[in-house]
Amino acid sequence: MEKLAKRVQKLQDQLLAKQWFLVNDRKNVSYLSGFTGTSGYVLVSKNKGYFLTDFRYTEQAKLQCPHLEVVTHEQIVWDTIASLTQGAEVLFVEESHMTLEHYNQLSEKVKAEVKGSKNLVEDLRIVKDGDEIALIKEAARITDEAFEEICAIIKPGVTELELARELEFRMKKKGASHVAFDFIVASGKRGALPHGVATDKVIEAGELVTFDIGAVYKGYHSDMTRTVAVGTISSQLQEIYEIVLTAQKEALNAVEAGKTGYEIDKVARDIISEAGYGEYFGHGLGHGVGLDIHEEPRVSPNGKTVLKQNMVITIEPGIYLPGVGGVRIEDLVVVETTGATRLSLSSKELIVLC
Ligand SMILES: [Mn+2]
């Protein structure tokens, strides 16, 4: 609980007198409050901290958020916010998460000036603590185990969707509460679609199949991609596999605190470009993972954030050849002061299944 109180304190430290901040994004609310229900707001000033929820959740909130003053809000939550923030000059809201409709309704009710703010909570979430890393590690372990099991049933004749469903079932059996996103199972020419979610396409011999999968464990996500061969693949597919694997390993070796996302991205991008496939790697190298599947920091050509110890990021280069197929290999890693710790432990050498 002390940990949750410290998170709130860090936010309060950024506010001046007569400034308030309303948090409505569900992940941000959960990060600050520990609340696991679906309806709640965190409202803080420099020295006050409230958790607002409706009648359904009042008792749950009192149990989960003892570091905040729990208030059952009126039918219209903006009325409660208006009365709690009397005398305020500015009320910051999360401009990336509040709808324009809600912004207008809130502005009509409160006397303070309602102003947008960006990434106040996200910037706290970017570096993980030990408990958070343990949960992400567990989500990654579930993913590794489920993937290993389904490798036994990947063969010509099964569909992408059958494999996706089997993965989901096995992850949940192993303790995942949800899947982290709609799984990408992209076989053959569909492998050229970086986000080709599973379809009823039948897998055939001679194809590569890209699996981009992840589990959610106690709110925290994992993210891993592996590409496997079904039967004998063409020399071109073998070639791009080896290039992506080299780029992935080298980028991973380059990860450490003090470097920017841009620098890490460049390691993989240069290898793929020098091999002649630069134009076929059209996305960033990776991203942060935590309560959201995609969060800060970006590890891309625009990644200005300097990596710090205990950030959790993905390293996922790919090559996508339209009309031919594609390869992506992705590990989830913890940034360390020197190097990185891999959380995705599935083998990255080309697996050939028959
Ligand atoms: Mn990813």
Side-chain angles (χ1 to χ4, degrees):
M1 207 47 58
E2 207 173 300
K3 188 171 67 191
L4 295 172
K6 268 188 196 149
R7 291 174 181 175
V8 173
Q9 184 66 53
K10 279 186 187 165
L11 207 55
Q12 290 174 317
D13 288 347
Q14 298 176 56
L15 296 172
L16 304 173
K18 301 201 173 180
Q19 290 187 338
W20 287 74
F21 179 39
L22 176 67
V23 185
N24 73 286
D25 173 70
R26 215 208 288 179
K27 304 292 172 61
N28 288 342
V29 167
S30 136
Y31 181 77
L32 296 167
S33 67
F35 181 69
T36 56
T38 55
S39 180
Y41 301 81
V42 170
L43 177 67
V44 295
S45 68
K46 201 150 190 62
N47 44 33
K48 289 225 156 84
Y50 294 106
F51 185 82
L52 313 183
T53 190
D54 63 67
F55 173 79
R56 294 171 299 167
Y57 288 118
T58 307
E59 287 311 308
Q60 178 179 340
K62 281 181 182 163
L63 289 172
Q64 292 183 321
C65 329
H67 61 303
L68 295 166
E69 191 175 328
V70 175
V71 175
T72 307
H73 64 70
E74 295 169 60
Q75 194 112 36
I76 295 169
V77 63
W78 320 123
D79 289 328
T80 305
I81 293 167
S83 61
L84 290 173
T85 60
Q86 272 174 27
E89 282 171 3
V90 179
L91 172 58
F92 291 107
V93 296
E94 301 186 280
E95 65 181 43
S96 306
H97 304 297
M98 176 167 275
T99 64
L100 185 56
E101 182 184 26
H102 287 170
Y103 172 83
N104 288 336
Q105 290 169 351
L106 180 63
S107 301
E108 261 180 38
K109 296 279 185 177
V110 301
K111 298 241 166 52
E113 184 189 358
V114 182
K115 273 190 182 175
S117 69
K118 222 173 157 59
N119 290 346
L120 286 183
V121 186
E122 285 83 348
D123 285 347
L124 301 179
R125 283 168 46 185
I126 193 168
V127 172
K128 273 66 182 175
D129 64 32
D131 294 348
E132 292 180 289
I133 289 172
L135 298 178
I136 296 170
K137 192 175 179 183
E138 179 63 8
R141 186 193 64 79
I142 290 168
T143 305
D144 277 329
E145 282 190 8
F147 178 68
E148 190 187 343
E149 287 180 17
I150 68 119
C151 277
I153 56 171
I154 303 170
K155 52 176 175 260
V158 300
T159 70
E160 295 169 350
L161 262 173
E162 281 165 355
L163 295 172
R165 289 193 196 109
E166 197 63 39
L167 274 163
E168 175 167 354
F169 173 67
R170 285 165 195 255
M171 282 185 188
K172 287 184 173 168
K173 243 179 125 173
K174 292 172 191 301
S177 56
H178 304 87
V179 291
F181 46 86
D182 284 343
F183 292 158
I184 291 164
V185 181
S187 61
K189 290 176 186 171
R190 293 193 72 251
L193 308 173
H195 270 192
V197 295
T199 66
D200 55 12
K201 179 189 168 299
V202 173
I203 288 165
E204 292 172 40
E207 291 183 335
L208 284 175
V209 189
T210 299
F211 293 86
D212 189 345
I213 59 179
V216 181
Y217 183 73
K218 297 194 175 167
Y220 283 82
H221 295 69
S222 65
D223 196 1
M224 177 179 84
T225 307
R226 290 293 184 267
T227 302
V228 302
V230 179
T232 309
I233 55 168
S234 71
S235 57
Q236 187 181 30
L237 292 177
Q238 273 182 38
E239 183 198 358
I240 64 171
Y241 191 93
E242 290 308 319
I243 296 163
V244 172
L245 182 58
T246 303
Q248 204 273 348
K249 286 179 173 172
E250 291 300 318
L252 196 53
N253 283 338
V255 174
E256 65 183 354
K259 291 185 182 167
T260 62
Y262 165 82
E263 286 174 85
I264 311 301
D265 179 278
K266 190 172 184 306
V267 171
R269 204 163 297 280
D270 285 353
I271 290 169
I272 292 173
S273 296
E274 277 158 27
Y277 289 98
E279 65 180 295
Y280 303 105
F281 173 30
H283 58 75
L285 180 68
H287 53 88
V289 175
L291 287 170
D292 280 309
I293 182 66
H294 295 121
E295 54 181 55
E296 296 300 321
R298 305 289 144 176
V299 184
S300 75
N302 305 316
K304 297 187 189 82
T305 307
V306 175
L307 299 181
K308 287 188 187 156
Q309 186 182 18
N310 290 349
M311 286 184 177
V312 175
I313 60 172
T314 67
I315 300 295
E316 48 178 311
I319 294 177
Y320 313 92
L321 303 178
V324 179
V327 175
R328 179 168 62 256
I329 302 170
E330 172 183 33
D331 281 332
L332 188 61
V333 305
V334 184
V335 178
E336 307 289 358
T337 47
T338 54
T341 303
R342 274 176 72 196
L343 300 181
S344 311
L345 300 175
S346 298
S347 169
K348 290 186 283 197
E349 300 309 313
L350 183 61
I351 300 172
V352 181
L353 305 159
C354 304

